Amino acid sequence: MAAGEAPQEKPRLAQIFDLVFKGGTIVNQAGEGLADIGVRDGRIAEIGSIGEGMAGETIDASGLHILPGVIDTQVHFREPGLEHKEDLETGSRSAVLGGVTAVFEMPNTRPPTTSAEALAAKVAAATGRMHCDFAFFVGATRDNVDDLAELELQPGAAGVKVFMGSSTGDLLVDGEETLARILATIRRRAAFHSEDETRLRERMSLQREGDPSSHSEWRDPEAALAATMRLLRLATAAGRRVHVLHVSTGAEMQFLATYKDIASVEVTPQHLTLTADEAYAALGTKAQMNPPLRDRYHRELLWWGLERGVVDVLGSDHAPHTLEEKSKIYPATPSGMPGVQTLVPVMLDHVNAGRLSLARFVDLTSAGPQRIFGIAGKGRIAVGYDADLTIVDLKAERVIENRWIGSKCGWTPFAGRRVKGWPVGTLVRGRLAMWQGELGPACGEPVRFGEALPKA
Ligand code: DOR
């Protein structure tokens, strides 16, 4: 080497991988087909045919489908303050047991995630302790509007979340002026819980003691539609994108189909799978959630929106409460049900039943979240992307059972349901967070976003 010349980096042998998945069927932007995947330094390094002896570890994936890591863009993991229901470790354990590689967590904790300190504390508590990658929504309040533009760019922030109707916790912004100020100040796509607070208050008397089915009468489809119409009017005026969480009614779905330039849409597996009458009869208060379960008519229109591409993402709205809390008498019972662990098997069962294609499932659970939230380096099986993979056995038939649930709450509304299609592996940045039901070491890190990349 001549004097003054920079030392050359030792060339790496391109074929050497830390981990290789051999013989699986990959489903990604290129379609569906047999290919090996080579992983190096936590990233996807090769897709194609990889010879023997090229990897530190080789996993035989023949007979299995390898999907881009499933991203659940709506979970409530309850830490800090409500750890008797869930914490970041147990919630993420439930996630990876269910094949989920990253979650976006909601701000209605105690204290709520409404300040830079609260957000940084969550990121610190989650890093290396959560089993999957994570981002946290920042809650909007009347008092923190001026801080939101800065807060939404903090490391680990998924964006701003607004509760337009009251649900679990105290976060609520229902004044039109404040909503308009929020939309004017932020730049990223904010997420909205869309139920009209005034209408909810007016109709409180429709709650019947001991009858959780009255929850769906009280929080009626009109309350959801009114808030969504108001939101889209304000977003249009402000020239902003918005994300409407857990859309539950047919009229909202049809309305949102006319706003695809600015509105992204989430549906939950429970709104797609359960109907109000059957669920209240079988599950009682466990079926109580906000927005509530609806009847068949609405469920069919959610599928209409899913089939026609109006729906962008699936979110589980994992909202665990203890069985003790759920065993109180309605309406003293809290709203919400767990779901992060059952999203994949419940939806793969719909794939096997022919209700959606595997390609559309992938679109909803990785490409969709990447597209609407601008996730950096995740959401595709492509060279250079994080090696986040959800490995599934589409032929496995299992019964979902409460004892399988890793969440602290220990129950699922889908207990007893026979499903076809099961998550067998969860790879998070090249590390096996779960393989055949066994957990690996926790290695969770913040998800990064193109609009808020941390400076090196
Ligand atoms: O049912 C629900 N439960 N809906 C929400 O919006 C909040 C959630 C919770 O945190 O329990």
Side-chain angles (χ1 to χ4, degrees):
M1 188 172 76
E5 218 173 82
Q8 291 233 313
E9 206 182 297
K10 214 171 144 205
R12 302 193 60 155
L13 288 176
Q15 298 94 326
I16 303 300
F17 306 105
D18 302 326
L19 175 66
V20 167
F21 286 93
K22 279 203 76 69
T25 300
I26 296 177
V27 188
N28 69 355
Q29 61 284 346
E32 184 171 330
L34 282 177
D36 307 327
I37 299 181
V39 173
R40 189 170 53 229
D41 296 336
R43 300 228 171 118
I44 295 168
E46 178 61 305
I47 303 165
S49 180
I50 299 175
E52 296 297 328
M54 296 294 191
E57 189 184 356
T58 302
I59 293 180
D60 178 11
S62 45
L64 303 176
H65 283 74
I66 303 185
L67 317 178
V70 168
I71 301 167
D72 184 344
T73 45
Q74 193 188 174
V75 303
H76 302 263
F77 281 176
R78 310 301 192 200
E79 181 180 336
L82 298 159
E83 288 92 340
H84 66 287
K85 298 176 197 272
E86 193 77 289
D87 63 39
L88 293 168
E89 194 275 325
T90 56
S92 66
R93 186 191 307 183
S94 196
V96 299
L97 285 170
V100 170
T101 57
V103 295
F104 293 4
E105 206 265 351
M106 286 295 165
N108 56 338
T109 44
R110 279 194 203 144
T113 324
T114 52
S115 66
E117 295 71 36
L119 176 63
K122 272 195 176 178
V123 172
T127 303
R129 184 163 148 256
M130 279 181 70
H131 295 264
C132 59
D133 283 349
F134 53 81
F136 298 108
F137 278 104
V138 174
T141 70
R142 250 177 314 181
D143 303 323
N144 73 353
V145 179
D146 294 338
D147 305 330
L148 291 176
E150 216 175 301
L151 286 173
E152 68 173 351
L153 298 180
Q154 295 304 303
V160 171
K161 157 81 183 272
V162 183
F163 281 91
M164 294 173 70
S166 329
S167 192
T168 305
D170 307 323
L171 288 175
L172 175 68
V173 180
D174 62 333
E176 201 150 300
E177 201 188 313
T178 313
L179 287 167
R181 275 179 60 219
I182 293 169
L183 287 166
T185 184
I186 59 175
R187 289 288 177 277
R188 293 179 69 185
R189 184 188 294 273
F192 291 81
H193 180 119
S194 185
E195 288 185 282
D196 186 75
E197 183 65 15
T198 308
R199 185 166 174 94
L200 296 183
R201 285 213 196 114
E202 278 166 11
R203 294 168 60 86
M204 287 283 267
S205 64
L206 290 173
Q207 296 177 326
R208 290 188 295 277
E209 191 163 335
D211 180 3
S213 75
S214 61
H215 196 67
S216 293
E217 294 166 40
W218 164 41
R219 303 180 83 112
D220 67 346
E222 188 52 41
L225 178 64
T228 296
M229 289 177 77
R230 181 152 73 125
L231 172 61
L232 268 297
R233 176 166 52 76
L234 293 168
T236 303
R240 288 283 184 262
R241 300 160 291 175
V242 289
H243 181 56
V244 189
L245 296 159
H246 40 43
V247 171
S248 62
T249 71
E252 279 176 289
M253 190 59 77
Q254 290 169 319
F255 176 73
L256 287 164
T258 66
Y259 280 91
K260 285 311 293 174
D261 51 348
I262 56 169
S264 54
V265 173
E266 176 197 80
V267 290
T268 72
Q270 51 273 43
H271 286 112
L272 287 168
T273 308
L274 307 173
T275 53
D277 285 0
E278 284 169 15
Y280 290 123
L283 301 165
T285 58
K286 286 186 196 158
Q288 176 193 334
M289 69 174 292
N290 302 331
L293 296 174
R294 313 282 185 197
D295 64 22
R296 245 161 239 284
Y297 165 80
H298 294 285
R299 189 177 66 173
E300 284 317 302
L301 279 166
L302 299 188
W303 279 104
W304 172 90
L306 188 141
E307 283 157 10
R308 282 155 189 79
V310 182
V311 178
D312 294 280
V313 295
L314 295 171
S316 74
D317 193 11
H318 178 82
H321 299 284
T322 65
L323 285 172
E324 200 186 334
E325 290 162 336
K326 282 289 197 182
S327 67
K328 292 182 181 159
I329 307 292
Y330 181 84
T333 38
S335 295
M337 53 180 90
V340 72
Q341 195 170 335
T342 46
L343 183 151
V344 171
V346 166
M347 293 308 298
L348 289 183
D349 190 54
H350 287 307
V351 170
N352 271 312
R355 293 229 67 173
L356 77 165
S357 68
L358 196 54
R360 179 68 170 128
F361 174 81
V362 166
D363 181 53
L364 289 163
T365 54
S366 52
Q370 194 286 327
R371 184 183 68 245
I372 65 171
F373 291 107
I375 299 171
K378 290 188 187 293
R380 284 161 90 84
I381 299 179
V383 168
Y385 277 66
D386 287 353
D388 293 350
L389 303 172
T390 298
I391 299 117
V392 303
D393 182 349
L394 274 186
K395 288 185 225 73
E397 284 187 56
R398 301 272 179 87
V399 177
I400 294 174
E401 293 178 53
N402 286 332
R403 65 188 167 91
W404 173 61
I405 296 298
S407 163
K408 230 180 234 186
C409 75
W411 61 275
T412 162
F414 295 109
R417 179 173 291 258
R418 175 171 286 279
V419 293
K420 189 171 179 189
W422 198 258
V424 296
T426 310
L427 195 77
V428 178
R429 278 173 293 96
R431 291 188 241 192
L432 275 177
M434 183 277 283
W435 186 249
Q436 294 183 336
E438 298 294 322
L439 292 177
C443 64
E445 283 185 9
V447 172
R448 296 174 310 129
F449 297 89
E451 289 165 283
L453 287 174
K455 291 198 180 84

